[in-house]
Amino acid sequence: MTVPNGENSTESSPLAALAPLQAVLFDVDGTLCDSDPLHYYAFREMLLEIGYNCGVPVDEEWFIKTIAGKHNDDIASALFPDDQERGLKFCDEKEAMFRRLVKEQLKPIDGVYKVKKWIEDRGLKRAAVTNAPRLNAELIIEILGLKDFFDVVIIGSECERAKPSPDPYLKALELLKVSKEHTFIFEDSASGIKAGVAAGMPVVGLATRNPPHILMEAKPAFLIKDYEDSKLWAALEEIDTKSGDTTTTV
């Protein structure tokens, strides 16, 4: 997959202006781990059971357009526009199925532990910011061995508004006591990228599952395939260079 760049390669990375860096914020599903196939499987099988779409299995294009990155309240409305209560109950049951699948099949995004070490070595603050239910988010973070890595976990439904509103990311800044001028975000969905941009921070988009052209419409700083991508490490090196020899601790 060719991942388009949101910047001119001859210019300074948009992350360089953040030096000295204070914090890095992460989405969870699709950003820390490749969980979208598990969500898609759970939705497809459960919708098939109830005869949704006249019994025709939903496809990945439908999943990306209707489900990916969205909050369950919005998903419930999309699936059952005339019966929100039924939609929410369906989503709760789907999340329970997802958690069963996660325990057996969860895979981290390539390079995530390399980025984890880079952040830890510089004493940066970090938060997980997600539209996922808290049970899902905490289970994923625990399975990935990142429970002690994050200073805080922000849940969209626990904010006044979930993504694509900026509220969850603004709450993360508030709780971490850091500035948006010295913080950036990793996100994999158009909804999440829009939330980060609206909160006033540059967003590095991960083209793990969602089509790059859709992600680019949300205006990320640039896109990467995974955390091994050379574009990312060039940007991080530039942050280090601009920060000088001292390591930022906050």
Side-chain angles (χ1 to χ4, degrees):
M1 172 179 57
T2 301
V3 178
N5 198 338
E7 60 185 80
N8 188 315
S9 59
T10 63
E11 297 178 354
S12 175
S13 163
L15 303 189
L18 302 174
L21 196 61
Q22 294 179 341
V24 182
L25 312 180
F26 292 81
D27 176 46
V28 176
D29 282 298
T31 300
L32 296 176
C33 56
D34 190 16
S35 52
D36 272 1
L38 304 183
H39 283 291
Y40 169 56
Y41 176 83
F43 271 111
R44 187 188 67 196
E45 294 305 303
M46 290 186 62
L47 288 171
L48 197 57
E49 283 182 14
I50 64 172
Y52 185 84
N53 195 33
C54 300
V56 178
V58 297
D59 59 20
E60 289 194 62
E61 183 179 353
W62 175 91
F63 174 81
I64 290 169
K65 181 180 179 181
T66 311
I67 304 296
K70 293 183 171 63
H71 188 267
N72 274 351
D73 286 355
D74 299 321
I75 294 170
S77 296
L79 294 178
F80 302 100
D82 299 321
D83 194 343
Q84 180 78 353
E85 186 177 347
R86 182 189 181 194
L88 291 173
K89 184 175 184 294
F90 177 88
C91 287
D92 285 344
E93 292 170 353
K94 172 263 157 185
E95 298 300 356
M97 181 179 183
F98 170 78
R99 287 191 289 273
R100 292 193 296 271
L101 295 170
V102 156
K103 292 176 182 178
E104 301 172 358
Q105 302 180 40
L106 194 68
K107 295 180 180 179
I109 300 296
D110 288 346
V112 69
Y113 299 112
K114 183 178 177 182
V115 168
K116 171 181 179 287
K117 184 178 187 304
W118 186 89
I119 292 169
E120 290 174 331
D121 287 348
R122 285 150 186 79
L124 305 175
K125 292 187 177 180
R126 49 267 191 180
V129 183
T130 178
N131 271 353
R134 182 167 288 278
L135 280 175
N136 288 24
E138 292 183 344
L139 177 61
I140 288 171
I141 288 168
E142 184 174 357
I143 290 173
L144 293 174
L146 297 173
K147 187 175 180 180
D148 295 330
F149 173 67
F150 288 111
D151 298 304
V152 65
V153 177
I154 306 295
I155 305 298
S157 62
E158 297 172 8
C159 301
E160 186 171 341
R161 298 172 298 173
K163 304 175 195 176
S165 159
D167 295 21
Y169 280 117
L170 294 175
K171 184 175 181 180
L173 293 176
E174 180 184 355
L175 293 180
L176 292 178
K177 295 180 171 58
V178 295
S179 166
K180 66 181 181 181
E181 279 79 25
H182 300 285
T183 302
F184 76 91
I185 296 165
F186 286 113
E187 267 283 1
D188 79 301
S189 72
S191 172
I193 294 171
K194 288 176 183 177
V197 170
M201 288 171 279
V203 182
V204 177
L206 280 98
T208 47
R209 294 283 175 179
N210 292 312
H213 72 276
I214 291 179
L215 299 181
M216 288 304 297
E217 289 174 359
K219 304 190 184 310
F222 55 91
L223 295 184
I224 58 176
K225 181 181 178 183
D226 55 36
Y227 297 105
E228 299 283 2
D229 198 307
S230 60
K231 289 196 296 293
L232 172 62
W233 290 97
L236 298 183
E237 184 177 346
E238 193 168 357
I239 291 175
D240 278 343
T241 300
K242 288 217 170 189
S243 298
D245 295 330
T246 58
T247 300
T248 303
T249 54
V250 289

